[in-house]
Amino acid sequence: MKLSLPKPTFWTMVLAFIWILGIYSAFTRFYYGLGTATNLSDQFPWGIWIGFDILVGVGLAAGGFVVAATVYIFNLKSYKPIARSTILTAFLGYLLVIGALLFDLGKPYNVWHPLVMWNPHSVMFEVGWCVMLYTTVLFLEFLPVLFERFRLERPLRIIRSITVPLVIVGVLLSTLHQSSLGTLYVIVPDKLHPLWYSGILPLFFFISAVAGGLAMVIFESYLSARAFGKELEFKLLSQLSRIIVVVLSLYLLLRLQDMGSQGALKYIFDFSTESIYFLIEVGLGVVLPILLFLTPRIRNNTAGLFLGAVFVLTGFVMNRLNVAITGMTASAGVEYIPSWMEVAVTASIVAAGIVIFRYAAKYLPIFSDEEPMGVHQPPLVAAGKSGKVAMGILGVILLAMVIGLGIGLTKDKLPDPGMRIEAAVVQPAGSLKLPDPIVYEMGESSPGAVTFSHENHVDPSAPQCKTCHSGLFKMRPEKAGALGSIQMDLLYEKKQCGVCHDGEQAFNVEDNCEVCHVAAE
Amino acid sequence: MKSAILTDLTKCIGCEACALACKEINELPVSAPMNMLSAYTWSAVEHRNGVNIRRQCMHCEEPACVSACPVAALEKTKEGAVIYDAGKCMGCRYCMVACPFGVPKYEWDKSIPTIQKCILCHEKALSQGKEPACTSACPTGATIFGERAALLREAQKRIDENPGSYVPHIYGMREAGGTSVFYLSAVPFADLGFPGNLKEDPYPKLTWKVLSKIPNIVSTGGVLLLGIWWIINRRIKLQDENPPSV
């Protein structure tokens, strides 16, 4: 195979442009830090790298577990033709999400810490673990494609035999972390706008991820069919659209009902920024696609199907961004608009996903529903020995998770009554409490020791501590040592006491030795 | 004992001695503005509506940040301080999102940033039985250190004895499930930029309610999925073996 640069078509130029900006942004982010590359701030610590790259990225990869479950657990083999490309999309999606996360983390080299530093009370801990495990599962689910491509029969047979346990683990992990991304926001009831905040955000995130993931399957099947001149699995996709209608309707009903019970319905039509974004999200992204997919003429038309999926995806993306950004703006008190570098990194990552998918589709058997080497295998029924082993491992993993969580629960420390701190006496507040006089011992050739008195220097009715602290003199006694030694030379240079004792603001130090120095007897 | 800080805003003269003492003991740059919390100002004095308002970490009894941290880099100590281990931190900033008081700050200008916040002088004073730098520096006794329960009694006593001088509210007693930093004020707290309407239940409870269901979801879900797979496959297998007789 000869290596050659791709022809400079319009799209390769666009790609090159995005990646050049992306590389520059990546360098800036890692060399100068998040503050230089992003518009993030103490008021707005999470931006589009979380809102889009993570929340949307993970959500749209949900097609993977839904289709895998449909094919392998519910045994609807008719969906098999789309299983592989869907699983590939999900696998790529998760890899890109992890890539994006490395941009967002302040210390990306510590990304493995949740593996050994446990905090089962943390939602983020759960998300981290699930994403790691599920990416591994997706890799294993994707392996058969590679094995087929390179005709590795034995490994292929092994991996096939553990398909079902793999898919089950995958479904469980997906359910957990899709919902957990919503749980992340359950801890901010005062910060997230009531149009989006809910105690059951995890449920909403899960349901909308199922709808979004399915819409992604339609979206991507349509585009791949066009790009690779493959026949569209039209009947399957049309059926998917009907499932989307059911899922979205359930979602809409639950959300409105939940908003009603929280008294948030009144915000829908107050035409604040939030209400407008909400109306677009729900109107265009939920209600409209339900209506579109309910219309047979649109559902049974390729373009109509595609259009409907685009609306679902729009609504999904808007929902995640609304939770992460729109809904958090009012409480943050500052407006967050991503910097061009944040956008460039996100665009580069999305572009990378498209390019990798294209190459995978070109060189790997992801659209073939045939199974060149496994046709006569009783497909998934006989799990065999390795299947049993896998089930055993699954059991051990489940057990470990339960035990781990159990330990985490009982780890709650109880206060140790033996612990004692010398309590500072609670002083009745009132008059100004000034430090005791400070005695400066005689130095060499000094006419006598000096006692500094705060009382002589501070007007209790309008104390100006800052005049002397902490620029001229440190405040902490243990630190005072360094600057505590007063030197007459410095005073003459208008330093230390000399700053004020210059003959203008206060008496001159040169002619008034005896005012401060008291000769030893 | 559980230590705490009581700040009586009516007695604060705004000298910023607490903020300076904090900078000295924690070796933070004095050049960073002292009227707002930042990565370089852990103890600030804000001047708002003619009131001097001391700001610092509230050191919640059940801190949202501690529960949020995926790597347990934040910890509530026996002495009452919420401390931070930069070595564990991976920089996800969920603690900043989770904190209802907006306390944890970030070193946005550094290529390897860490979270920055008041740690109640845990290492340099508290664990040695000394009081934090800020309260020891206060010249008016506006911000004082002591045992949590004793400070709450003291705060209540001040309100009871001078009902005209204070709004009848000890900020921090119930907010977010109770904190270790209490405030007394003559002006309603909502006018001073204190987050109002905070939940009186600890924030970690909100997420724990969801997280604690995971073992159930995993076990029930696993059994359910296995069951569905088994039933469906068995039926298909039986059908294949004994095709319905004509």
Side-chain angles (χ1 to χ4, degrees):
Chain A
M1 214 162 59
K2 212 183 97 191
L3 261 176
S4 61
L5 281 174
K7 270 181 253 156
T9 61
F10 174 71
W11 286 111
T12 49
M13 298 294 279
V14 170
L15 191 67
F17 180 68
I18 292 176
W19 277 351
I20 287 168
L21 294 184
I23 288 166
Y24 174 82
S25 310
F27 173 78
T28 310
R29 181 259 168 271
F30 286 111
Y31 191 78
Y32 294 104
L34 285 162
T36 314
T38 70
N39 280 347
L40 298 174
S41 62
D42 283 334
Q43 290 75 37
F44 227 106
W46 282 0
I48 56 163
W49 288 349
I50 296 286
F52 187 85
D53 301 17
I54 310 279
L55 297 189
V56 172
V58 168
L60 292 185
F65 86 88
V66 179
V67 171
T70 311
V71 173
Y72 295 104
I73 295 174
F74 296 100
N75 237 318
L76 297 172
K77 289 286 185 292
S78 55
Y79 282 90
K80 204 151 187 198
I82 55 170
R84 284 196 167 170
S85 60
T86 310
I87 286 167
L88 173 66
T89 315
F91 180 46
L92 282 181
Y94 275 82
L95 287 185
L96 297 175
V97 162
I98 293 171
L101 185 66
L102 296 180
F103 277 86
D104 191 75
L105 289 182
K107 298 184 180 186
Y109 52 86
N110 282 348
V111 68
W112 54 276
H113 276 185
L115 285 174
V116 288
M117 300 166 188
W118 283 37
N119 180 13
H121 282 256
S122 166
V123 185
M124 192 62 91
F125 172 78
E126 192 218 330
V127 172
W129 264 90
C130 284
V131 168
M132 272 189 279
L133 291 176
Y134 186 52
T135 309
T136 314
V137 167
L138 279 170
F139 173 68
L140 294 175
E141 287 181 356
F142 176 67
L143 268 184
V145 176
L146 289 180
F147 290 159
E148 274 178 27
R149 173 71 176 77
F150 300 103
R151 308 201 168 278
L152 303 167
E153 286 199 39
R154 253 184 77 80
L156 185 65
R157 213 168 296 140
I158 294 172
I159 200 91
R160 282 234 172 95
S161 64
I162 60 164
T163 305
V164 169
L166 262 186
V167 171
I168 290 179
V169 174
V171 171
L172 290 175
L173 289 171
S174 295
T175 310
L176 289 184
H177 72 265
Q178 291 290 356
S179 54
S180 294
L181 290 177
T183 317
L184 282 177
Y185 289 88
V186 169
I187 207 164
V188 291
D190 324 296
K191 293 185 179 176
L192 185 56
H193 192 278
L195 282 173
W196 291 283
Y197 183 80
S198 162
I200 53 168
L201 254 182
L203 187 63
F204 295 154
F205 264 55
F206 176 73
I207 300 178
S208 57
V210 171
L214 290 176
M216 192 66 189
V217 173
I218 297 180
F219 179 79
E220 165 222 296
S221 303
Y222 176 83
L223 289 183
S224 326
R226 274 181 51 147
F228 302 107
K230 300 250 156 61
E231 203 178 316
L232 190 65
E233 298 288 342
F234 183 74
K235 227 181 111 199
L236 288 183
L237 299 183
S238 185
Q239 279 167 7
L240 282 190
S241 78
R242 295 164 79 165
I243 299 172
I244 292 178
V245 170
V246 176
V247 176
L248 278 186
S249 308
L250 177 72
Y251 174 66
L252 183 64
L253 199 73
L254 279 175
R255 262 190 89 177
L256 290 178
Q257 192 254 335
D258 180 64
M259 286 169 72
S261 71
Q262 292 193 55
L265 289 172
K266 60 174 183 280
Y267 299 106
I268 296 181
F269 292 107
D270 68 3
F271 297 105
S272 56
T273 316
E274 286 88 356
S275 100
I276 291 165
Y277 276 77
F278 176 83
L279 286 173
I280 299 175
E281 171 199 326
V282 174
L284 282 187
V286 182
V287 177
L288 185 64
I290 291 179
L291 296 177
L292 286 176
F293 285 152
L294 275 177
T295 318
R297 237 184 47 213
I298 294 172
R299 191 174 62 224
N300 295 328
N301 169 306
T302 327
L305 204 57
F306 180 68
L307 190 71
V310 169
F311 280 122
V312 177
L313 292 175
T314 312
F316 179 84
V317 173
M318 278 203 68
N319 174 257
R320 296 308 193 256
L321 290 180
N322 281 342
V323 169
I325 294 163
T326 321
M328 299 289 276
T329 302
S331 64
V334 295
E335 194 130 348
Y336 160 82
I337 294 162
S339 71
W340 71 263
M341 287 194 253
E342 288 176 84
V343 178
V345 166
T346 299
S348 299
I349 289 171
V350 173
I354 295 171
V355 170
I356 300 173
F357 185 85
R358 245 184 85 95
Y359 276 99
K362 213 165 162 185
Y363 295 111
L364 297 173
I366 70 158
F367 288 116
S368 59
D369 50 332
E370 297 164 18
E371 298 184 25
M373 286 176 293
V375 202
H376 302 297
Q377 248 180 341
L380 303 158
V381 185
K385 215 177 193 177
S386 46
K388 275 176 198 152
V389 173
M391 290 289 182
I393 294 172
L394 168 65
V396 172
I397 293 173
L398 293 185
L399 202 66
M401 282 166 95
V402 174
I403 292 173
L405 280 162
I407 293 171
L409 279 177
T410 52
K411 219 181 69 178
D412 284 352
K413 294 160 224 148
L414 292 169
D416 172 8
M419 176 67 206
R420 283 279 177 279
I421 294 179
E422 237 178 272
V425 187
V426 175
Q427 293 163 336
S431 58
L432 202 62
K433 176 195 89 185
L434 290 172
D436 293 331
I438 300 163
V439 179
Y440 292 90
E441 301 295 340
M442 266 172 73
E444 267 178 63
S445 71
S446 166
V450 175
T451 302
F452 173 83
S453 148
H454 269 93
E455 274 175 42
N456 292 347
H457 286 83
V458 182
D459 172 6
S461 63
Q464 296 292 333
C465 314
K466 277 185 289 183
T467 309
C468 304
H469 297 299
S470 156
L472 293 175
F473 302 101
K474 292 283 174 191
M475 204 175 281
R476 307 276 307 153
E478 70 270 16
K479 295 260 175 169
L483 277 171
S485 77
I486 310 281
Q487 293 171 16
M488 286 312 292
D489 302 352
L490 294 174
L491 264 56
Y492 297 142
E493 292 169 24
K494 296 199 176 181
K495 286 181 181 152
Q496 299 184 333
C497 313
V499 170
C500 296
H501 287 281
D502 57 358
E504 287 168 26
Q505 301 174 63
F507 63 81
N508 194 325
V509 284
E510 283 169 42
D511 313 319
N512 295 290
C513 308
E514 71 290 350
V515 178
C516 305
H517 290 282
V518 177
E521 310 232 327
Chain B
M1 80 163 214
K2 273 184 178 173
S3 43
I5 285 179
L6 169 62
T7 298
D8 187 334
L9 298 180
T10 65
K11 299 193 184 335
C12 178
I13 53 172
C15 71
E16 299 183 2
C18 48
L20 274 172
C22 172
K23 295 221 170 193
E24 278 180 18
I25 196 168
N26 294 304
E27 288 159 14
L28 299 169
V30 185
S31 54
M34 281 192 282
N35 60 359
M36 59 178 286
L37 292 184
S38 71
Y40 309 108
T41 302
W42 298 353
S43 170
V45 180
E46 197 186 323
H47 311 280
R48 190 195 281 236
N49 296 343
V51 183
N52 307 305
I53 310 144
R54 171 155 201 236
R55 305 245 184 241
Q56 63 169 121
C57 173
M58 299 292 286
H59 297 282
C60 304
E61 287 286 277
E62 290 183 48
C65 60
V66 170
S67 93
C69 181
V71 292
L74 289 154
E75 186 196 334
K76 173 89 176 170
T77 65
K78 282 176 282 195
E79 296 91 331
V82 176
I83 57 171
Y84 168 71
D85 181 347
K88 286 183 174 177
C89 177
M90 59 180 198
C92 73
R93 310 188 294 286
Y94 187 33
C95 52
M96 302 176 73
V97 173
C99 174
F101 301 101
V103 164
K105 303 295 180 194
Y106 211 49
E107 295 175 310
W108 296 102
D109 53 338
K110 296 205 174 150
S111 50
I112 296 177
T114 53
I115 290 288
Q116 301 282 322
K117 72 171 206 64
C118 161
I119 48 174
L120 213 58
C121 292
H122 178 75
E123 216 150 279
K124 291 178 177 157
L126 219 55
S127 59
Q128 300 163 22
K130 291 191 230 154
E131 71 173 312
C134 53
T135 53
S136 73
C138 181
T140 63
T143 186
I144 54 176
F145 173 81
E147 205 264 323
R148 190 173 185 272
L151 283 187
L152 274 176
R153 280 196 299 274
E154 168 70 17
Q156 192 56 52
K157 203 178 96 193
R158 289 189 197 177
I159 291 177
D160 292 344
E161 286 175 1
N162 310 288
S165 316
Y166 298 103
V167 291
H169 182 178
I170 304 170
Y171 192 91
M173 184 165 85
R174 295 219 168 80
E175 277 77 9
T179 68
S180 305
V181 173
F182 309 120
Y183 287 91
L184 289 176
S185 168
V187 182
F189 287 100
D191 300 340
L192 300 177
F194 284 85
N197 304 321
L198 290 185
K199 302 267 175 296
E200 292 196 354
D201 254 355
Y203 281 67
K205 264 194 187 169
L206 293 167
T207 38
W208 186 243
K209 244 188 257 170
V210 182
L211 285 179
S212 56
K213 297 203 173 73
I214 289 178
N216 282 338
I217 295 174
V218 171
S219 44
T220 323
V223 170
L224 195 72
L225 289 169
L226 265 177
I228 291 172
W229 170 79
W230 185 76
I231 290 170
I232 292 178
N233 268 282
R234 189 161 167 75
R235 290 183 65 174
I236 292 177
K237 204 173 155 191
L238 287 177
Q239 249 174 27
D240 287 352
E241 279 169 8
N242 313 305
S245 49
V246 189

